[in-house]
Amino acid sequence: EPMDTAAADGSPAVGEKRKADGEAGEAGEREAGERGAKPPPPPKKKKKKKKPKPGAANKPKPGDHEEDIAAEVEASCVIKATPVPVVFNGLAATFAAGCVSGEEEFAIRLPDPPPEPEPVPVPEPQQPGDAGGPTQTPQSGGTPPTPPTTTTSKEADERKPPGPRFEYLTLEEFFVRAGASDVAACVASWRETIRYGGDDGPADTPIGGWLQRRGATWGKASVGYQCEVLNPDAARSGGSSALMEKQGGTSWRVGEVVNFDVATGEHEVSFLDGSESRCYLFLQTMRWLPTKYEPFGTVPEPPPEGGGMMMASPPLPVGCGGMRGMLLPGGKRGEELVRYAAPRDASTPGVMAEFTVPATEFERLGGKGTAKKWRQSLRLVHVGSYKLGETMGRWLRTLGNLTGDASVGRHLEIFWPGDGAFYGGTVAAYKTETGEHEVYYDDGGKETLQLSMQTVRWGPAPAPGARERMLKLVAEETERAKNEKGKKKSGGGG
């Protein structure tokens, strides 16, 4: 076999040139063919992971703003509509959730559909034994063993029977279905004609008297309270209201209980959209709202250059799952508090009480477990629509940026509500990821605060060199703390 030689003009042979160009050449191909392996592919370049921007974890994700009515109504502050059974002429039904005076409706449960047949498992063909080993064959007259079948959780959910189905009838339709001889007369006197169908009351009790007594348990104690009432279609379906889907708002209507009718047990509710309705509150799915629950979306002005008083932000309406509350100002880091409203006791849902809990506990009540990431879980309630908006982490960063990093080195005085006094200090650092400032007090203490949630008496803008001196002090403090921590770790026993 002739060997590769240089060309007459001094250029390398074809094989050498291909090798020089990075190819295997004929010799390389022969060697690779003899070894039975292909030349290794060039190594892939590893993609560098992008570092998340400060506060990126708090950015809303797709679907975060969407309603989950089925989950919301399970919150501890939500009062579910009471299913009130009724009967007339042998036809049993219940009051439809969310019905109001003049538009009474009844729900009749439809028969459950027949269950779907279980799928028949198909046996897999028996596999022969390993190479060189004996092959198993079924015994004469027998059948191969059927391998066990497993069912995934998704398949199990799909096989679950659907929930109960209901048909909703108006008063007139109900009496027609029941075979009333004079439908118009029955509609006019339905409170006396229809009977209460529950087992916890005397037999043959007119529904009007039962409703009046039940409404009295809510009574005048509910008047003056602010509330949110779930739209009837959302209360019955467990999904978002069709009106909400159309207008882009929320399935809950904000209103105030303004009157109680002793004769019927009904309450009057005045809604923010200007409408009013009479209803039995216990037939509504609703939640009480704390006092001064007013959405606040205005960004205040930053402190002037010459200094001045900046009042703390008002209580901020927030939501988490089905919970609604107010993030209170004045809280220190790790001590943020939320006030929410709920029935004082399960037996008296019409008597509202207000509770103050840590923000992490409010997050847990909202269905977020023990994540303790309330800045991501809690969302600001929008002005007008009362829909949940951006995360509190994002909103607090917006407020923190009012003074931001430019305030480092600036003197201020912070009001402590518990002591009823101002304490002086200097802004030492700004945390862009949370919107918080670190303050070194004149008496030697230090803490990290959301200054927008504090009442602050600002001094004038930092003098030249004040920022640099403070940054140097912070660096020295950090280095000293690091050295002390290292000494503790390296210390041995005596």
Side-chain angles (χ1 to χ4, degrees):
E1 181 177 343
M3 299 179 61
D4 290 335
T5 56
D9 57 356
S11 61
V14 175
E16 294 297 329
K17 186 175 186 304
R18 290 171 65 186
K19 290 180 182 179
D21 291 340
E23 299 181 16
E26 293 179 359
E29 290 175 357
R30 284 197 303 271
E31 292 176 4
E34 292 171 0
R35 291 194 303 268
K38 296 181 180 180
K44 295 181 179 180
K45 294 183 179 180
K46 294 184 178 180
K47 294 183 179 180
K48 294 183 178 180
K49 293 184 178 180
K50 295 182 179 180
K51 294 183 178 180
K53 296 180 180 179
N58 285 337
K59 288 185 177 180
K61 299 176 182 179
D64 280 349
H65 296 191
E66 301 301 324
E67 288 185 318
D68 186 356
I69 298 299
E72 284 193 33
V73 297
E74 298 300 327
S76 60
C77 70
V78 175
I79 307 168
K80 293 183 181 180
T82 303
V84 179
V86 297
V87 63
F88 174 77
N89 205 18
L91 180 62
T94 57
F95 269 99
C99 64
V100 298
S101 179
E103 299 178 7
E104 291 83 5
E105 290 184 279
F106 299 96
I108 296 180
R109 182 167 179 171
L110 299 175
D112 294 332
E116 296 182 2
E118 290 287 336
V120 179
V122 179
E124 296 181 2
Q126 189 174 10
Q127 301 295 331
D130 297 334
T135 302
Q136 297 182 356
T137 58
Q139 296 180 356
S140 176
T143 56
T146 303
T149 57
T150 57
T151 304
T152 64
S153 59
K154 182 178 180 181
E155 291 174 345
D157 290 340
E158 291 176 350
R159 292 184 188 177
K160 286 182 180 179
R165 300 177 303 154
F166 294 94
E167 180 183 6
Y168 295 96
L169 305 176
T170 64
L171 265 175
E172 184 176 353
E173 292 170 341
F174 176 74
F175 284 118
V176 171
R177 181 74 58 87
S181 57
D182 190 346
V183 174
C186 290
V187 170
S189 60
W190 68 268
R191 297 176 191 273
E192 293 78 28
T193 306
I194 298 177
R195 298 296 189 240
Y196 175 64
D199 298 331
D200 55 343
D204 205 35
T205 300
I207 192 61
W210 190 93
L211 294 173
Q212 188 275 332
R213 289 189 294 274
R214 186 59 179 266
T217 61
W218 293 59
K220 293 183 178 180
S222 304
V223 176
Y225 290 162
Q226 197 174 9
C227 62
E228 280 189 322
V229 180
L230 190 60
N231 280 330
D233 57 343
R236 299 170 190 178
S237 67
S240 294
S241 169
L243 185 63
M244 172 268 182
E245 297 286 352
K246 182 178 180 180
Q247 298 180 352
T250 170
S251 298
W252 301 82
R253 301 177 66 195
V254 180
E256 180 182 346
V257 182
V258 295
N259 193 23
F260 171 64
D261 189 342
V262 179
T264 63
E266 294 173 302
H267 289 80
E268 289 185 25
V269 182
S270 177
F271 293 100
L272 288 185
D273 59 8
S275 62
E276 294 185 355
S277 69
R278 286 171 58 92
C279 64
Y280 292 102
L281 289 181
F282 54 85
L283 294 180
Q284 314 301 315
T285 296
M286 55 175 291
R287 56 189 170 209
W288 297 118
L289 298 176
T291 54
K292 298 183 179 179
Y293 185 86
E294 299 175 2
F296 175 80
T298 305
V299 178
E301 294 292 330
E305 290 290 325
M309 182 75 74
M310 294 289 292
M311 301 303 294
S313 169
L316 296 175
V318 294
C320 181
M323 298 293 294
R324 295 294 182 270
M326 308 278 288
L327 181 66
L328 303 179
K332 300 177 183 179
R333 190 179 199 185
E335 300 177 6
E336 298 87 354
L337 300 175
V338 178
R339 187 178 71 241
Y340 72 95
R344 180 175 297 173
D345 189 81
S347 60
T348 55
V351 181
M352 188 266 281
E354 298 191 5
F355 305 88
T356 301
V357 296
T360 51
E361 172 64 11
F362 185 80
E363 176 188 31
R364 186 191 68 81
L365 293 173
K368 299 298 181 180
T370 55
K372 295 187 177 181
K373 296 181 179 179
W374 67 268
R375 287 179 174 83
Q376 301 176 36
S377 303
L378 272 62
R379 295 186 173 276
L380 189 70
V381 176
H382 274 182
V383 179
S385 68
Y386 281 75
K387 191 174 182 179
L388 298 186
E390 60 265 44
T391 63
M392 286 310 301
R394 187 169 187 172
W395 177 251
L396 292 174
R397 286 197 306 273
T398 300
L399 297 181
N401 284 333
L402 294 174
T403 50
D405 189 69
S407 62
V408 174
R410 189 170 185 175
H411 194 269
L412 44 67
E413 293 178 345
I414 298 175
F415 182 72
W416 284 36
D419 296 354
F422 284 88
Y423 292 93
T426 305
V427 178
Y430 175 62
K431 299 180 180 296
T432 57
E433 65 274 11
T434 62
E436 297 172 304
H437 289 78
E438 189 173 12
V439 177
Y440 282 18
Y441 285 102
D442 298 340
D443 60 5
K446 61 181 180 180
E447 65 179 346
T448 302
L449 297 167
Q450 293 281 357
L451 291 182
S452 58
M453 303 297 286
Q454 315 293 327
T455 296
V456 180
R457 185 185 291 153
W458 286 91
R467 172 187 173 85
E468 288 70 20
R469 289 192 297 271
M470 179 53 66
L471 293 176
K472 182 179 179 182
L473 176 62
V474 171
E476 293 173 353
E477 288 280 345
T478 304
E479 185 65 25
R480 181 162 53 251
K482 187 185 299 183
N483 293 337
E484 291 178 358
K485 186 176 182 180
K487 290 179 182 179
K488 290 180 180 179
K489 285 185 177 181
S490 60

